[in-house]
Amino acid sequence: MSLIGDGLEKAVQKAFTRPAPKNAGTQMRYLVKQLGGTKAVARMLRVSQRTVERYVKDQIRKPRPDLAARLEREVKKRWQPQIRAKARKKAATTDGIVIDTRARLGYTAPIGSTDQDRVRHLTVALPPQYAARLFDAQEQGATEQQLQELAAEALKEVYFQDDGRRAGSLEEVRFTDIEHLEFGL
């Protein structure tokens, strides 16, 4: 599970203008249309092609829980691509992104200052360049660790250093033990 990647995805999904299909038959038909055939959908969902065909014809209505979760995730990943792109672009160029987190944050600082990790609850508005970096990294397949490092760097510069007005000698912020993480556009 990717906390930051999933959080970014949920933030973008809030921009949808229409709800994604809810029932299995409609979801399956949507995926078949998007991927151009039942074979591709079957391979992606790790089920047989015949199973996909039966959902498309509404011969099966209720998927088992693991298939239902995969089906919903894949539909939402492809739903309203222009709206998704517009929301990402707006966050990356003008609006920025808000991060709300409760996590253990620590930092590397010069000797004499306290650099002990502690749980903090932060709600910070990140400027557009940080949203752009997070979305770009996510699109390029960054790992959860890489996304956490980018988020920690953004918090270091915006929250801890206040855009260069304080804590100038702060070297690194560590972002671990995430209890809660949510993004808002």
Side-chain angles (χ1 to χ4, degrees), residues 59-109:
Q59 292 172 342
I60 308 175
R61 295 184 188 277
K62 187 93 171 108
R64 55 187 195 277
D66 61 323
L67 177 58
R70 285 195 309 266
L71 191 55
E72 184 176 351
R73 187 177 57 246
E74 294 300 330
V75 166
K76 283 187 175 179
K77 196 187 291 183
R78 290 165 178 76
W79 189 247
Q80 294 192 322
Q82 285 109 351
I83 302 240
R84 177 187 305 276
K86 193 184 293 182
R88 285 174 173 238
K89 184 177 182 197
K90 189 175 179 189
T93 56
T94 56
D95 289 359
I97 194 166
V98 175
I99 182 172
D100 179 59
T101 186
R102 181 169 166 77
R104 183 168 300 282
L105 290 154
Y107 43 86
T108 306

Side-chain angles (χ1 to χ4, degrees), residues 118-129:
R118 65 176 182 236
V119 174
R120 299 170 193 251
H121 182 198
L122 302 176
T123 303
V124 180
L126 301 176
Q129 69 263 26

Side-chain angles (χ1 to χ4, degrees), residues 124-136:
V124 180
L126 301 176
Q129 69 263 26
Y130 298 109
R133 288 173 59 194
L134 282 165
F135 284 131
D136 289 345

Side-chain angles (χ1 to χ4, degrees), residues 5 28 34 66 72 86 88 109 132 141-142 148 179 181:
M28 205 62 86
Q34 290 295 308
D66 61 323
E72 184 176 351
K86 193 184 293 182
R88 285 174 173 238
Q148 279 186 19
E179 294 176 15
L181 181 100

Side-chain angles (χ1 to χ4, degrees), residues 107-116 161 167-172:
Y107 43 86
T108 306
I111 296 172
S113 65
T114 176
D115 62 350
Q116 188 171 355
Q161 292 182 324
S169 58
L170 195 61
E171 296 161 14
E172 174 195 35

Side-chain angles (χ1 to χ4, degrees), residues 123-175:
T123 303
V124 180
L126 301 176
Q129 69 263 26
Y130 298 109
R133 288 173 59 194
L134 282 165
F135 284 131
D136 289 345
Q138 183 188 31
E139 281 179 26
Q140 292 167 6
T143 64
E144 176 67 9
Q145 183 61 40
Q146 291 167 321
L147 290 172
Q148 279 186 19
E149 288 168 9
L150 280 172
E153 186 178 326
L155 288 172
K156 174 187 131 187
E157 292 172 15
V158 175
Y159 177 77
F160 289 104
Q161 292 182 324
D162 195 16
D163 291 324
R165 288 190 279 276
R166 64 183 173 148
S169 58
L170 195 61
E171 296 161 14
E172 174 195 35
V173 171
R174 289 179 306 281
F175 192 40

